Amino acid sequence: MSGLAAFAEALLADDAPCPPGLVTWNGSAPDKRFAVYRNNVIVGLVDALADSFPVTRALVGEEFFHAMAREFLRRSPPRSPVLALYGEGFAEFIAGFPPAAALPYLADMARLELRRVQAWHAADADAITPADIAAVLADAENLPAARFTLHPALFLLVSAHAVVSLWAAHQAESVAAALAAVNPAQAETALLCRRDLEVEIYRIEAGTTAFIGRLQQGQAFGMAVEQALQADDDFDPAAALALLLRAGAITHITIPRRSDP
Amino acid sequence: MILGSTPNRRAAAARPRSLPARAGIGLKPEHFRDILDTAPDLGFFEIHAENYMVDGGAFHHYLTRIRERYALSIHGVGLSIGGEGPLDEAHLDRLATLLGRYQPESFSEHLAWSSHGGAFLNDLLPAPYDAATLARVCEHIDRVQERLGRRMLLENPATYVEFAASTMAEAEFITQVVRRSGCGLLLDVNNVHVSCTNHGRDARDYIDALPLYAVGQVHLAGFAEDTDAAGAPLLIDSHGAPVAEAVWALYCDALDRVGPMPTLIERDNDIPALPVLLAEARHADRILERLLPIARGAAA
Amino acid sequence: MNKTLSAASLAIAFGAAMSMAAAPIHAASHGGAMKAETEKCYGVAMKGKNDCKAGAGTTCAGTSKMDHQGNAWSMVPKGTCEKTMSKTSPTGNGQLMEFKEKKA
């Protein structure tokens, strides 16, 4: 094993001895000096996760989060020097982490928070303008075949737990009071999108979820509305479109020229 | 091995001018809006390259606006120039894209490694100063300068341990790297103070042994204090405190040797309000101003 | 709404959506959606995660930046989750949830 390999291995291993070949000018044992590096690596990466997963952290408390994060990062250290997006796989790790088993919603909270970070850093795209929409409506005959391009920062997260309400409760002035109104076992779907540089999170119902999901997959407008109505009798296409428009989430609408009869 | 015999024509045409010999500060998201609102008089801003290797959003929004008004230094923390493996070409591509977009006046990286076996360890780690490391570091810097089409500055490290395998002193190692690769030197005066304290060296002798002709920028920062296993002082490069008196004194001495230099006040921990950093930058500016007449006189 | 979707009905929905989108944001639900986000409107909330500092944390205990090597496998979450633990009764199911906009 090369010198740096031993050094790297000792950084991530728990209670590993100091790597060989280190010296100090005053003959002091190098362990304590090496521990500075180990501490920097572990704390730096735990901090990166703590910044990206603030509600996950709040739910379990600082001490538990730190311990859980260091277990994760020792198994899954970042593969890229770009730490902004570090945390892929954290939710899956949490789902299989026995000490967190009492909180079945915790993994989905981490999924939501990773999506939030991804949405925050996603590519920029301009929303369609009223003039664009007017042009589309002028060609209303082909509207059912229209295909929407949604913003790169738009994400859906379907959960069997009340992730949006739990997340929202942590933004309240009194978190405890807000949490008292939440039933964690309630299934919820989150819509994330970015407007004016800030990520917004909405709780959406089954019809809206189906509608946006289909649009995101590239299905035609008319088909997406039909699927949404199948998912939810009460689906209101105007309200769902208004949500997307208000969020600046539609960046392009393509109406196929009449190639089909 | 010297770079630049056949520089890329486009890169040469687009080559930005250099940073002014004034003080700058590290750009922090906490200060984005204050900077745009108050337009402080500053020599430049410096960013950590990796923080801006994302597709879009607020970081690019603000950096674009701030870059329109200020000189910019891009400082990489993830290339792992001292690493054993080959350079991460995907990362180098991201860096080239970032530099192309913002056209910084300066690009710098560290004499350190941070990736091994595909894992990024998020710290600036030390390597032995021997012939093998020297060859590797020079090869990596050659590749960086070739790919980016510009000269880079290499920063002297803050370290806590030394290697039995080292066959040369750090300053001699850096002198060799600069000579062979043609890169410049980013003289981090705080790192000099931290490392020399940690390894029982004389900071002024160390600076004297560096290739001072190649210095293109200076870094200043604060450190934290601890002790080693024998109770001797062990300084930690925390970037979490104001610049220490000893470091200001060393800075003045260093400037006497290298002349006025673009000088960065670094703060990455416990980041204070913008005016606190601006005050430290003004302190550096006053020291630089004292030297400017000398520099002008020497040039005249 | 009629499930047979005509181009005209879609156009009407679109037109209605435009006027709804132009209206000021209301706390009431729209599109079966409730806005949960109450992002603070000062500064930029996200930090840059890459830097070249050493954590202030060193080898000495007593600093919050020290890596405490607690045994994660025997730990119990002790955070705001404690406020959600008792919410397992079926009475909570299906209750109306409202999100209040937090003042920035």
Side-chain angles (χ1 to χ4, degrees):
Chain A
M1 184 154 57
S2 74
L4 298 194
F7 201 103
E9 197 160 286
L11 287 170
L12 288 178
D14 228 359
D15 303 323
C18 193
L22 302 182
V23 292
T24 60
W25 68 285
N26 58 0
S28 63
D31 309 59
K32 197 177 171 191
R33 290 162 173 262
F34 179 75
V36 174
Y37 290 110
R38 182 185 278 149
N39 196 57
N40 285 343
V41 170
I42 302 290
V43 173
L45 293 175
V46 168
D47 281 353
L49 292 169
D51 277 351
S52 288
F53 299 91
V55 176
T56 307
R57 188 179 82 209
L59 279 165
V60 297
E62 292 295 335
E63 199 185 352
F64 188 94
F65 184 86
H66 186 112
M68 182 167 75
R70 77 192 298 283
E71 284 297 317
F72 167 69
L73 70 88
R74 285 172 53 213
R75 284 149 205 251
S76 310
R79 308 304 292 178
S80 160
V82 183
L83 287 183
L85 302 171
Y86 178 50
E88 198 99 44
F90 190 40
E92 291 69 25
F93 171 82
I94 291 172
F97 186 60
L103 310 181
Y105 50 79
L106 195 64
D108 274 356
M109 182 57 74
R111 283 189 185 95
L112 178 69
E113 294 200 289
L114 181 68
R115 287 300 193 208
R116 182 168 176 270
V117 169
Q118 290 168 337
W120 211 82
H121 291 298
D124 301 311
D126 290 330
I128 49 169
T129 64
D132 296 329
I133 299 171
V136 166
L137 292 181
D139 196 9
E141 202 181 318
N142 289 312
L143 203 51
R147 292 180 199 273
F148 291 39
T149 306
L150 302 182
H151 198 284
L154 182 143
F155 294 101
L156 290 174
L157 181 79
V158 179
S159 174
H161 310 283
V163 280
V164 184
S165 300
L166 287 169
W167 189 89
H170 284 82
Q171 319 306 314
E173 308 242 337
S174 167
V175 176
L179 278 174
V182 178
N183 169 22
Q186 179 75 48
E188 288 185 351
T189 297
L191 168 69
L192 300 90
C193 43
R194 193 176 76 213
R195 185 175 175 80
D196 299 333
L197 305 175
E198 311 242 315
V199 178
E200 297 175 330
I201 300 178
Y202 295 86
R203 193 191 74 192
I204 58 174
E205 303 301 336
T208 310
T209 304
F211 175 63
I212 297 174
R214 302 300 162 140
L215 290 182
Q216 208 173 21
Q217 289 163 14
Q219 280 197 15
F221 179 37
M223 187 68 83
V225 172
E226 275 180 33
Q227 298 280 343
L229 284 165
Q230 275 178 25
D232 180 359
D233 280 343
D234 294 332
F235 175 67
D236 176 355
L241 276 171
L243 173 66
L244 290 176
L245 290 172
R246 182 173 277 152
I250 304 172
T251 60
H252 199 70
I253 297 178
T254 313
I255 301 214
R257 291 299 120 200
R258 46 188 82 212
S259 51
D260 35 80
Chain B
M1 261 175 124
I2 301 287
L3 168 95
S5 47
T6 54
N8 173 315
R9 208 158 47 95
R10 257 183 53 221
R15 182 162 298 158
R17 293 179 311 191
S18 56
L19 296 174
R22 292 192 53 199
I25 64 172
L27 180 61
K28 294 286 156 189
E30 293 90 325
H31 300 146
F32 283 159
R33 294 204 178 165
D34 281 352
I35 290 163
L36 290 176
D37 289 349
T38 63
D41 178 29
L42 259 181
F44 64 99
F45 281 101
E46 183 165 287
I47 61 163
H48 292 130
E50 284 69 15
N51 287 333
Y52 295 84
M53 291 180 178
V54 292
D55 291 335
F59 283 14
H60 285 297
H61 172 90
Y62 285 105
L63 180 57
T64 300
R65 278 148 189 80
I66 290 166
R67 203 289 175 258
E68 283 167 4
R69 296 161 174 79
Y70 293 94
L72 180 70
S73 166
I74 294 189
H75 189 51
V77 295
L79 258 185
S80 203
I81 280 173
E84 281 180 348
L87 279 185
D88 178 346
E89 286 289 331
H91 196 61
L92 204 44
D93 288 345
R94 287 191 284 265
L95 203 50
T97 302
L98 188 72
L99 266 61
R101 177 165 177 178
Y102 291 104
Q103 299 285 317
E105 281 81 354
S106 175
F107 169 69
S108 51
E109 249 285 357
H110 297 84
L111 175 54
W113 59 282
S114 49
S115 294
H116 191 87
F120 176 67
L121 298 163
N122 189 36
D123 197 15
L124 299 165
L125 301 162
Y129 297 127
D130 59 12
T133 308
L134 180 62
R136 221 166 52 222
V137 166
C138 289
E139 195 182 304
H140 288 167
I141 293 175
D142 285 348
R143 177 65 193 133
V144 172
Q145 296 188 133
E146 176 191 51
R147 178 68 182 84
L148 301 181
R150 64 186 295 159
R151 182 179 187 237
M152 62 163 279
L153 304 180
L154 185 71
E155 179 179 329
N156 58 293
T159 60
Y160 312 110
V161 297
E162 295 183 299
F163 291 84
S166 288
T167 55
M168 57 191 113
E170 184 172 288
E172 183 191 345
F173 184 91
I174 291 172
T175 302
Q176 292 288 333
V177 170
V178 166
R179 189 173 296 157
R180 292 196 197 184
S181 70
C183 74
L185 178 60
L186 194 174
L187 177 61
D188 188 314
V189 176
N190 185 58
N191 286 357
V192 171
H193 179 71
V194 164
S195 286
C196 288
T197 303
N198 290 348
H199 306 307
R201 294 194 289 251
D202 182 274
R204 284 162 180 83
D205 288 350
Y206 172 90
I207 289 179
D208 277 343
L210 286 172
L212 294 178
Y213 66 90
V215 173
Q217 193 189 336
V218 171
H219 274 184
L220 298 174
F223 54 81
E225 294 182 63
D226 200 349
T227 52
D228 72 3
L234 181 66
L235 304 186
I236 314 290
D237 184 32
S238 66
H239 295 188
V243 178
E245 274 312 314
V247 173
W248 282 120
L250 198 55
Y251 172 60
C252 292
D253 285 4
L255 287 190
D256 284 341
R257 319 280 171 87
V258 300
M261 279 291 152
T263 300
L264 178 77
I265 305 293
E266 291 185 289
R267 188 73 73 91
D268 294 310
N269 259 324
D270 297 330
I271 295 163
L274 183 60
V276 176
L277 295 180
L278 295 176
E280 274 200 284
R282 273 199 295 279
H283 188 65
D285 268 335
R286 279 196 293 274
I287 293 169
L288 288 164
E289 280 159 15
R290 286 210 296 267
L291 283 168
L292 279 171
I294 302 170
R296 285 203 198 97
Chain C
M1 178 169 187
N2 193 326
K3 287 203 182 189
T4 314
L5 293 164
S6 65
S9 67
L10 289 175
I12 290 164
F14 223 124
M18 284 178 71
S19 42
M20 286 165 79
I25 291 180
H26 221 269
S29 69
H30 43 84
M34 285 185 191
K35 190 181 178 200
E37 170 73 321
T38 48
E39 185 99 29
K40 296 147 197 81
C41 57
Y42 56 82
V44 172
M46 202 70 69
K47 288 182 195 166
K49 294 187 179 70
N50 283 100
D51 54 41
C52 53
K53 67 170 187 261
T58 63
T59 52
C60 52
T63 154
S64 63
K65 287 292 181 185
M66 183 61 199
D67 176 31
H68 301 287
Q69 301 182 8
N71 181 1
W73 303 97
S74 62
M75 291 174 78
V76 177
K78 280 186 180 143
T80 54
C81 65
E82 292 173 310
K83 306 289 179 200
T84 70
M85 291 297 202
S86 60
K87 300 292 295 176
T88 49
S89 76
T91 54
N93 264 324
Q95 74 186 44
L96 181 68
M97 282 177 281
E98 288 183 353
F99 306 121
K100 262 188 170 171
E101 295 274 339
K102 179 184 174 186
K103 289 196 193 89

